[in-house]
Amino acid sequence: MASPTKLTQPEVEQTLHQLPKWRLTDGTLERKFLFPSFKQAFAFMTEVAFEAEAINHHPDWSNGYNEINIRLITHSVKHLSNLDVMLAERIDTIFQRYE
């Protein structure tokens, strides 16, 4: 897998433009996902877990019944990186199947 590369401020702004459902919160990319049921939320988390493992980049997340909150940051560089963008894009693709 690729090494993390810190995003510049213009790259962060471009990322927020290309991922409009994500927001910048305390230096992390953050998004909330809502599902009709716990079962669907858990299935989504399982799919995301496999994608995260495939690229060896893992989200900070929480789950409460049908709601999942995901925060992305590259801890090794203490900043947003290309890996966060890659995982956010993959997460969005997975979520499209649940909408």
Side-chain angles (χ1 to χ4, degrees):
M1 186 76 252
S3 297
T5 303
K6 279 186 181 183
L7 299 182
T8 63
Q9 187 58 38
E11 289 171 327
V12 169
E13 292 169 16
Q14 179 183 358
T15 295
L16 292 171
H17 181 71
Q18 79 184 51
L19 299 169
K21 294 184 179 178
W22 292 81
R23 67 177 192 249
L24 191 62
T25 305
D26 298 326
T28 68
L29 281 178
E30 184 175 51
R31 183 169 175 195
K32 180 190 295 188
F33 299 87
L34 295 173
F35 298 85
S37 69
F38 172 78
K39 184 178 177 179
Q40 287 180 324
F42 192 83
F44 170 79
M45 288 181 75
T46 301
E47 288 190 61
V48 170
F50 279 102
E51 284 297 322
E53 192 64 21
I55 64 172
N56 194 30
H57 189 64
H58 305 90
D60 294 326
W61 56 9
S62 62
N63 166 244
Y65 179 61
N66 68 333
E67 179 178 309
I68 298 168
N69 292 295
I70 297 179
R71 294 181 86 170
L72 302 175
I73 190 167
T74 303
H75 297 288
S76 63
V77 297
K78 298 178 177 68
H79 199 274
L80 291 175
S81 80
N82 59 315
L83 296 179
D84 299 305
V85 176
M86 181 186 306
L87 186 54
E89 290 171 342
R90 290 181 183 197
I91 290 169
D92 282 353
T93 298
I94 292 167
F95 187 65
Q96 287 175 355
R97 295 193 292 266
Y98 292 86
E99 291 183 297

